[in-house]
């Protein structure tokens, strides 16, 4: 398993076991889903090039909500980074939780 770097370049280990990826925060939960309070875990694979940039994302198991699945890939392509090296594919899981209401 290789270490990932988030946009701030802070290095973290791949978090498959934790169920959350460090480059997606609770603030990224789509505003349009707040009323419905949709939640779920999306499993996806990222393809990294030799420079450590994401060149592709594919959902392996849906969260049950297409928008949450799409957001996981969109944000991952924008923000996830790997250490430069050989091109590779790695699997991740992210648990989307609806924000707490007060």
């Amino acid at each position: 398993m290789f270490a990932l770097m988030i946009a701030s370049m802070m290095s973290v280990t791949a978090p498959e076991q934790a169920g959350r990826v460090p480059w997606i925060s609770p603030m990224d939960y789509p505003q349009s889903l707040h009323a419905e309070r949709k939640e779920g875990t999306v499993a996806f694979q990222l393809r990294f090039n030799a420079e450590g940039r994401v060149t592709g994302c594919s959902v392996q198991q849906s969260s049950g909500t297409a928008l949450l699945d799409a957001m996981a890939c969109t944000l991952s392509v924008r923000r996830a980074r790997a250490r430069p090296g050989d091109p590779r594919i790695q699997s991740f899981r992210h648990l989307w939780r609806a924000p707490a209401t007060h």
Side-chain angles (χ1 to χ4, degrees), residues 5-60:
M5 292 196 255
I6 58 176
S8 67
M9 302 312 268
M10 183 177 103
S11 182
V12 295
T13 57
E16 297 92 334
Q17 67 279 6
R20 292 217 165 168
V21 294
W23 56 86
I24 300 175
S25 80
M27 300 282 295
D28 293 317
Y29 186 87
Q31 184 72 29
S32 62
L33 294 180
H34 278 231
E36 296 176 58
R37 304 197 45 76
K38 298 281 187 177
E39 298 184 337
T41 299
V42 57
F44 57 99
Q45 287 187 332
L46 297 179
R47 186 172 37 258
F48 294 94
N49 66 16
E51 289 79 39
R53 296 225 178 251
V54 177
T55 60
C57 178
S58 62
V59 173
Q60 303 300 303

